[in-house]
Amino acid sequence: MTHNLFFSLVLYLSLVSLPPLMAQKGGGTVVTELWCVAKNNADDAALQGALDWACGQGGADCTRIQQGGPCYDPSDVQKTASYAFNDYYLKHGMTDDACSFSNTAALTSLNPSYGDCKFPSSKTVNNASISSSGSMGTLGMGPADLSASHSIIAHSWLSLLVLVHLFLVSL
C-alpha cells in the first residue's frame, strides 16, 4: 500500500511541475495583448500634431475616429489619438518605434476600448487580418489559439484525478 501511495505522489508531483518547466524551456508561450495609446500626461497640442501626422503621412486608418464613426469624440483628443496611434502601431510592425509619436504614446496591456469603439490588439492582429474596405475598417477574426487554455484545463483535470486516486489509495 505504501508503494502505491509513493508512486501516486511521484506521479502527481511530476504532473504539477511539468507545465512550468515546459514554459521555462520555451515549450509554452505567454501571449500578452498590447495596445499603443496616448500618454495621459501628454500635452493636447502635441497629441493633436501626432494625430494629424498618423492620419496623414503615417497612413493610419482614421475612418473610425471621423464624424459618424464609432470612435468619434471631438472633445477627447487622448481617445482619438489613441485609436490612430494603435492603428499605426499594428500596421507598422508592432515595434517600440512604431509607438513613440515624439514620446506622446506608450504601450499598455489595458484594453482602451470603450462603448462601440473597439481597439484591435497585437494579439488580434496575429490571429486576424485587418483591412480597410469602404468607409469603415473591418476586422476579420481568424481562428483563436485555444491550445494554451486546453492545456490548462487538461492539467487541472489530471491533477484532480491524481488527487482523487491518492485519496482512494490511502483508504
Side-chain angles (χ1 to χ4, degrees), residues 22-155:
M22 285 177 54
Q24 289 173 0
K25 301 274 188 213
T29 57
V30 177
V31 178
T32 302
E33 290 184 276
L34 294 175
W35 294 267
C36 178
V37 297
K39 289 183 177 179
N40 58 6
N41 63 348
D43 179 66
D44 283 356
L47 285 175
Q48 187 63 54
L51 170 62
D52 293 343
W53 182 87
C55 292
Q57 288 177 289
D61 180 4
C62 295
T63 55
R64 297 177 63 85
I65 56 175
Q66 293 173 353
Q67 191 167 5
C71 303
Y72 178 69
D73 187 353
S75 65
D76 194 335
V77 70
Q78 189 172 12
K79 284 182 182 177
T80 304
S82 291
Y83 191 88
F85 293 174
N86 192 61
D87 187 79
Y88 179 89
Y89 168 73
L90 296 176
K91 289 180 177 176
H92 290 87
M94 295 182 284
T95 64
D96 289 340
D97 289 341
C99 184
S100 174
F101 298 96
S102 300
N103 204 28
T104 62
L107 292 174
T108 183
S109 60
L110 300 175
N111 188 341
S113 299
Y114 57 94
D116 290 334
C117 182
K118 305 300 181 206
F119 283 56
S121 72
S122 57
K123 184 178 175 185
T124 307
V125 170
N126 288 337
N127 291 327
S129 60
I130 292 182
S131 63
S132 54
S133 57
S135 63
M136 297 294 283
T138 58
L139 179 64
M141 295 301 293
D145 179 13
L146 300 176
S147 58
S149 61
H150 287 183
S151 174
I152 292 168
I153 292 168
H155 181 260

